[in-house]
């Protein structure tokens, strides 16, 4: 939601009737064109529903024209103001979202992490517990600088959940990485071979054409079971290179 420039409707000093700013009321422009319906009211802030996202205006922007609730600008004016404000915020956010930038919590007061890398699908941030990826949509600019939509308590809970999930995943992988276990391709469509031995850094896998040492980090658990990050063709090539 974005606030538009003040769009007050001039009224005669003699006008005493107050406009009905209840949710559901249609708002018009001075020429009688429909702007949009009021979605909600919080104090003196009125939210109007518009295509592409709602917009907030102060209650002082509203008046009466021909007994109908109206504002002093058209729907097109409001949409343009909202979109221009959003574009300006986006530019400022992109300028702040850089490697090494400190990331604060939702209240803007507590630093929670630092930006490590930025990608189209998310931002990797460094925390005391390690690196995690957060959706770009979670970031915004607060008065104190770059921030994300987590309070310190919410962020701590998120880290705890990630730590538990990682621990559970590692435990499941350790249980599956046993000599004799079948190793599937990443999508589980093919059996690549069987585990011969397991080390802290590498796992020896035996295929019909020979054996190959595979980094332990290449293994994961999929619906098919123990899998390695290889297609059948890639794994055959790796075995060929090792032979």
């Amino acid at each position: 939601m974005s606030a538009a420039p003040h769009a007050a409707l001039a009224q005669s000093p003699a006008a005493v009737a107050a406009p009905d700013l209840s949710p559901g009321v249609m708002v018009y422009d001075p020429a009688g064109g429909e702007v949009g319906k009021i979605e909600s009211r919080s104090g003196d802030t009125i939210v109007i529903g518009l295509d592409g996202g709602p917009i907030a205006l102060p209650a002082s922007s509203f008046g009466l024209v021909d007994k109908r609730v109206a504002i002093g600008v058209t729907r097109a004016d409001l949409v343009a103001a909202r979109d221009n404000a959003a574009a300006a915020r986006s530019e400022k956010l992109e300028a702040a979202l850089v490697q090494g930038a400190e990331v604060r919590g939702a209240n803007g007061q507590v630093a929670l992490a630092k930006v490590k890398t930025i990608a189209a699908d998310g931002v990797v941030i460094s925390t005391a517990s390690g690196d995690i990826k957060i959706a770009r949509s979670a970031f915004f600019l607060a008065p104190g600088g770059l921030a994300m939509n987590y309070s310190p308590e919410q962020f701590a809970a998120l880290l705890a959940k990630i730590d538990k999930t990682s621990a559970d995943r590692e435990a499941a992988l350790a249980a599956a990485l046993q000599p004799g276990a079948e190793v599937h391709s990443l999508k589980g469509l093919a059996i690549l071979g069987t585990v011969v031995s397991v080390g802290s850094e590498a796992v020896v896998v035996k295929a019909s054409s020979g054996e190959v040492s595979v980094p332990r980090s290449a293994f994961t658990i999929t619906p098919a079971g123990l899998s390695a990050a290889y297609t059948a063709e890639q794994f055959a090539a790796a075995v060929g290179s090792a032979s």
Side-chain angles (χ1 to χ4, degrees):
M1 184 188 307
S2 55
H6 190 69
L9 186 69
Q11 298 185 73
S12 165
V16 294
D20 179 8
L21 302 181
S22 303
V25 171
M26 177 60 73
V27 178
Y28 296 84
D29 65 24
E34 292 186 352
V35 175
K37 291 184 179 181
I38 294 175
E39 288 190 348
S40 63
R41 176 173 186 170
S42 178
D44 286 332
T45 299
I46 312 300
V47 178
I48 300 176
L50 294 172
D51 295 339
I55 195 165
L57 293 172
S60 58
S61 297
F62 298 79
L64 289 173
V65 172
D66 295 333
K67 298 182 180 181
R68 297 191 296 191
V69 177
I71 56 175
V73 295
T74 66
R75 179 186 183 89
D77 291 332
L78 278 187
V79 170
R82 179 198 63 202
D83 293 348
N84 289 339
R89 285 197 306 273
S90 179
E91 288 180 4
K92 291 180 179 179
L93 177 58
E94 289 300 316
L97 201 56
V98 295
Q99 186 176 14
E102 194 171 63
V103 183
R104 297 181 175 274
N107 59 12
Q109 297 176 357
V110 180
L112 302 179
K114 285 189 176 182
V115 174
K116 185 173 183 179
T117 59
I118 303 103
D121 62 340
V123 178
V124 176
I125 57 176
S126 297
T127 75
S129 300
D131 297 342
I132 61 171
K133 181 179 282 188
I134 302 292
R136 291 175 71 103
S137 58
F139 293 84
F140 66 97
L141 277 180
L146 184 63
M148 57 184 174
N149 294 323
Y150 294 95
S151 68
E153 296 75 20
Q154 290 171 329
F155 193 63
L158 174 65
L159 292 180
K161 182 178 180 180
I162 291 173
D163 287 344
K164 183 179 185 305
T165 300
S166 297
D168 290 346
R169 187 166 53 243
E170 180 58 29
L173 181 59
L177 271 174
Q178 301 294 329
E182 286 187 340
V183 180
H184 295 258
S185 60
L186 185 57
K187 294 184 178 181
L189 301 177
I191 296 176
L192 303 179
T194 57
V195 174
V196 176
S197 62
V198 180
S200 59
E201 299 295 331
V203 176
V204 176
V205 177
K206 182 178 181 180
S208 58
S209 55
E211 295 183 355
V212 63
S213 180
V214 178
R216 195 179 190 280
S217 58
F219 291 86
T220 187
I221 300 296
T222 69
L226 180 63
S227 301
Y230 295 87
T231 63
E233 293 76 14
Q234 290 170 334
F235 192 73
V239 173
S241 298
S243 302

